[in-house]
Amino acid sequence: MPSIAKPIVTHPSLEKNSLGLNLRAYEGAMSTLCAGCGHDSVTAAIIKAAWKLSLDPHMIGKFSGIGCSSKTPTYFVSGAHGFNSAHGRMPAIATGAAAANRKLIAIGVSGDGDSLSIGIGQMAHAIRRNLNMLYIIENNGVYGLTKGQFSASADIGTKSKKGDVNRVSPIDPVMFALSLGATFVARSFSGEKEQLVPIIEAGIKHKGLALIDVISPCVTFNDHEGSTKSYLYTRKHEYHVTDTNVIFPMDELIASIKVNGHTSVTMHDGSVIKFTRTPEGYDPRDRAKVFSYLEEHQKEGKVPTGILFIDESSSDMHEILGTTDEPLTQIPYETLCPGSKALDSLMAEFR
Amino acid sequence: MTGINDFALKLANVNGTGSASANGLLMQSMFRMGIPVAGKNLFPSNIQGLPTWYEIRVSKQGYGARALDYDLMVAMNGSTYARDITEVRSGGYVLYDSTWPLPSELHRDDVTFLGVPLAKMLTESVPEPKTRILLKNIMYTGSLAALLNLDMEIIEELIKEAYGKKQALLDVNRKALHQGYDYAKQHLACPLPFHCEGMDANGNKILIDGNTATALGAIWAGATVAAWYPITPATSVMDSFKAFSDKYRVDPVTKKNNFAFLQAEDELAAIGMVIGASWAGARSFTSTAGPGISLMNELIGLAYYAEIPAVIFDIQRTGPSTGMPTRTQQSDILECAYASHGDTKHILLFPSNPNECFHFAAKSFDLAEQFQTPVFMLSDLDIGMNDWVVDRLEWDDNYRPNRGRVLTSAELDEIKTYYRYSPEDENFVAARTLPGVNAKGSYFTRGSGHNRLGGYTESPAEYQEVMDRLTNKHKAAAKYVPAPIIERKEGATIGIITLGGCDLACREAIDILESDGVLVNYMRIRSFPFASEVERFIDEQDFCYILEQNRDAQLKSLLTLETRALKGKLQSILIYGGFPLSAKSVVEGIQHKLARQVHPDMKAGVITGE
Ligand SMILES: Cc1ncc(C[n+]2csc(CCOP(=O)(O)OP(=O)(O)O)c2C)c(N)n1
Ligand code: SF4
Ligand SMILES: [Mg+2]
């Protein structure tokens, strides 16, 4: 193996957030990915967003499947529990953990192979349950860890490194999620940190499953000419449909920013997502319109990015299940067990 | 046999016509008369229109295994008349609907035919055809009450409990019941020579199925997250868990649930949810059958290697593949013992009846958390879905869950550095931490190679060290799992070894053999890893018969793999056609084996247990 310098994922900043923590406190182990891999930039964006949101590290649960992308939870927030599960099974593991402890801030990282092939069933059903989690797909069009086979997100006509041309139709995680009733759908690009960080922040704030499809090029197997998931191709075809700022309740009080002229969505905790750019007639709350807008523009080979759709009014998994506000893990056994007397009187029903 | 409180009847019906409630009514009325009784539902994998049978055995001695000699056949399904009538013992009775004459070729001289014109009476009194179909069951129940001397007051009481709030339904049912009763009283020789008479055997007993008891065990043990995918015969575990959670686990003030009930998209997800929830610190379980276990294999290996508790109730049915989904078997033993790829070995519990399902279900959570590993409770369709007369379920309020080694935030503050897999205790278990408690306890759970501390490794020595600890951990569990039930007979030199629901048939067979002068010792294995008593028992015997309900002698294989018992010392009796076991089949099996020992060239016998 060539010994190449591993990238430093963040540059240490001494600035402190409201918990008194600097960026360092949100870092993880040194990345072992290829130098230049898009996934490392996504990691850096997650670190930044978690720091900006002042998330309590030990309240974060990091979840992933298997793949280069799924390795990345080791590289951020080492003070959080992490669960690197099995290929395509991250959504179920996260669902169980979130069911047990609803106070955990669930951050899931997956790949296009992990989520769109072997794990497409679990991803679909996590979306349907509207599990309260951030669900990032680091989408590079290939299986990085098994050395460059086409994944299900590979576009028709895209070329593999060996020169094979993909002829089967791709699954677009954004359209897929929209069609399943996802309540937060975004797309971004690992090379667009300015855009990605606020999207991740909004995704974490969102009540329900926030799906972010991040085009994250694989420099080793899918960054050549003819690939539609290369840095060059993405830079050329990507454009911002929306730009957003997340305004926390505190900031609003201090700065009293006006949301004039633009769509803004209030999150369940009172913070506001302010869309500073949307095309004429585009409403990120109108699923059908978003769907047809994307269909139209993606057909032309464009890669629209930004927070594409948001619905803050739907129930999340815990509301649907009717679970108590307290984490189930914290309910004392004495409350859970009906006791001998209750069992005794129940026995009359079996006579 | 055959006499007062000692007989068997079989009811042949078409499924989906309401016969199930009449079957239950008969069973329950006998139970309330204080008589030991057992019911077995032999039903098709179908919603409506196929043959279905229900057998009731009344036994004052308390034998609850299937009887194969029927004293009375209630033949209500024209399409199975021919076969049903041949199953009645010589001198027995057939109750049939005499609205239409019975085809003469079905006639038997050695059997008494009891005709009740059910359809005719119903057409006269009930205008609505669909109601007529349902009421037919109640009407023959009335006739049976007269023939078998059942307590009509009890039956009426039961009908009232069922339809109490719907007066109109109550009235028509009551009327049909009496019509059937009166007709039999007037036209037939009531009661039959064998019939019921009140006893007092059920004072401390209940009538319950194993799946209901399993769900109760999970609730009383404090399980909060249930994830599953529907499959016969495991579904009713979850139906019960949901119903009892709605009853006992809803916060009286907020009306919110102190439980999460997750219907997963498949078993891959169901077990994933259980593992995720257990990892986060909840008591969590799934309930499934063989096909589900097959799908769960992948993540079971992850839970084993990463050392995450998980409780799996496997209600076994007949495999392989879809097999016979509504028939019973004990054929997932090896699949569960070694579930998943790589070297894995699990803790298994084998309950033999609903009472044990309740206690073993609760025990499963203690073992899973103490040993931080998946635990399988292997019930089956016979135990899970049939109503059994068992001791009342009792709970000790001093019980506190054994959560195993879990570090609190304060304990984490005390230690310098936390390592997930070190230090280990005398049972080779290290302390785990839960997310959301203390950043100092954070670690990265993974299914990939790790060293004794939990760090990633590809080093052979470091890898093996962890794998060997897992072997030792599994062995250590032998001291904590339920020990076998052993009954020795003075002078006996051979043993019968069995597990699960075969218990009843084996015990009865042992009594029958004893009355023939053959003495056998008995051991019912209740768990894997095998407690030390298992090996000792085998050592004591000249040879052992291992009786189990699968083709491949799975329990015997496990014994030869995991104890020092010599293969030649263990002989199999395998009955795996899908029906619950009868003592007769067991006796036949043993007599045949004994005969073959004297005449080695005798042909191997096949017992289907039909
Ligand atoms: C059950 C199973 N099958 C196959 C594999 C092999 N495998 C490992 S990673 C991977 C693909 C990962 O692709 P993706 O999710 O896109 O991640 P990337 O490496 O591209 O980031 C495969 C097929 C596995 N780990 N488990
Ligand atoms: S193989 Fe591709 S996806 Fe994997 S680390 Fe290297 S660049 Fe990233
Ligand atoms: Mg990929």
Side-chain angles (χ1 to χ4, degrees), chain A residues 32-34 36-39 68-69 140 142 144-145 217-221:
Chain A
T32 59
L33 302 183
C34 306
C37 174
H39 302 347
C68 296
S69 35
N140 53 16
V142 288
L145 196 58
C218 168
V219 288
T220 306
F221 297 110

Side-chain angles (χ1 to χ4, degrees), chain A residues 52-67:
Chain A
K52 279 181 73 186
L53 291 176
S54 294
L55 302 184
D56 207 344
H58 82 276
M59 289 312 297
I60 298 174
K62 306 178 290 183
F63 301 93
S64 63
I66 296 289

Side-chain angles (χ1 to χ4, degrees), chain A:
Chain A
M1 215 190 258
S3 71
I4 37 171
K6 302 297 178 196
I8 296 167
V9 161
T10 61
H11 34 88
S13 153
L14 294 177
E15 200 188 328
K16 295 197 166 154
N17 64 13
S18 68
L19 288 180
L21 299 172
N22 62 31
L23 211 53
R24 274 253 123 116
Y26 293 86
E27 290 176 356
M30 180 70 88
S31 167
T32 59
L33 302 183
C34 306
C37 174
H39 302 347
D40 279 332
S41 310
V42 184
T43 298
I46 294 171
I47 291 171
K48 188 79 184 280
W51 172 76
K52 279 181 73 186
L53 291 176
S54 294
L55 302 184
D56 207 344
H58 82 276
M59 289 312 297
I60 298 174
K62 306 178 290 183
F63 301 93
S64 63
I66 296 289
C68 296
S69 35
S70 291
K71 285 182 178 187
T72 63
T74 339
Y75 315 143
F76 60 84
V77 200
S78 54
H81 270 62
F83 199 146
N84 182 196
S85 65
H87 199 20
R89 315 295 177 228
M90 177 272 276
I93 301 279
T95 304
N101 186 347
R102 62 184 300 173
K103 297 242 162 87
L104 285 182
I105 302 154
I107 299 182
V109 181
S110 178
D112 42 328
D114 200 59
S115 274
L116 300 179
S117 294
I118 192 164
I120 193 162
Q122 294 204 352
M123 171 179 139
H125 290 273
I127 291 172
R128 289 184 57 232
R129 282 185 196 100
N130 205 22
L131 165 69
N132 193 5
M133 77 177 293
L134 175 72
Y135 192 124
I136 295 182
I137 299 178
E138 297 181 348
N139 185 350
N140 53 16
V142 288
Y143 294 172
L145 196 58
T146 51
K147 299 187 183 280
Q149 302 83 356
F150 284 129
S151 80
S153 73
D155 293 307
I156 289 181
T158 194
K159 251 198 209 135
S160 77
K161 203 172 177 186
K162 288 185 206 146
D164 298 336
V165 176
N166 175 51
R167 302 204 177 280
V168 291
S169 101
I171 298 170
D172 175 350
V174 163
M175 299 301 252
F176 184 59
L178 277 172
S179 73
L180 290 166
T183 53
F184 182 112
V185 184
R187 184 187 285 122
S188 188
F189 171 38
S190 64
E192 283 262 16
K193 200 168 164 187
E194 292 302 302
Q195 182 198 39
L196 183 53
V197 174
I199 294 180
I200 293 176
E201 287 175 56
I204 290 173
K205 289 253 155 198
H206 172 66
K207 185 192 74 180
L209 190 142
L211 182 102
I212 312 178
D213 172 31
V214 186
I215 309 299
S216 174
C218 168
V219 288
T220 306
F221 297 110
N222 205 14
D223 197 30
H224 44 267
E225 214 184 310
S227 157
T228 60
K229 293 280 191 292
S230 66
Y231 277 110
L232 200 66
Y233 183 95
T234 310
R235 285 230 161 80
K236 240 172 151 169
H237 293 79
E238 182 251 352
Y239 76 102
H240 295 200
V241 182
T242 68
D243 275 328
T244 42
N245 285 329
V246 183
I247 303 154
F248 304 126
M250 283 293 278
D251 300 344
E252 202 172 17
L253 273 176
I254 297 159
S256 73
I257 297 168
K258 288 207 180 72
V259 281
N260 50 353
H262 291 288
T263 311
S264 56
V265 178
T266 308
M267 315 289 278
H268 69 293
D269 72 339
S271 40
V272 173
I273 300 186
K274 183 183 163 200
F275 287 80
T276 54
R277 176 215 302 265
T278 47
E280 189 67 31
Y282 188 97
D283 183 349
R285 294 162 303 186
D286 185 332
R287 191 182 299 273
K289 270 196 192 144
V290 171
F291 206 91
S292 59
Y293 177 91
L294 293 175
E295 206 161 45
E296 192 183 314
H297 288 75
Q298 291 182 179
K299 212 162 51 194
E300 299 162 9
K302 290 181 185 155
V303 183
T305 59
I307 295 176
L308 303 169
F309 175 79
I310 182 163
D311 162 15
E312 272 296 297
S313 64
S314 290
S315 301
D316 74 351
M317 181 179 80
H318 278 286
E319 285 170 358
I320 295 165
L321 293 175
T323 23
T324 192
D325 298 340
E326 202 185 338
L328 293 174
T329 50
Q330 281 164 31
I331 301 174
Y333 172 70
E334 291 67 25
T335 309
L336 295 173
C337 179
S340 66
K341 271 213 190 96
L343 187 63
D344 219 44
S345 55
L346 181 67
M347 288 302 104
E349 288 181 22
F350 299 99
R351 293 280 306 168

Side-chain angles (χ1 to χ4, degrees), chain B residues 36-54:
Chain B
V37 61
K40 300 289 179 202
N41 193 7
L42 312 175
F43 62 106
S45 177
N46 179 266
I47 302 298
Q48 202 181 64
L50 286 186
T52 185
W53 294 271
Y54 194 75

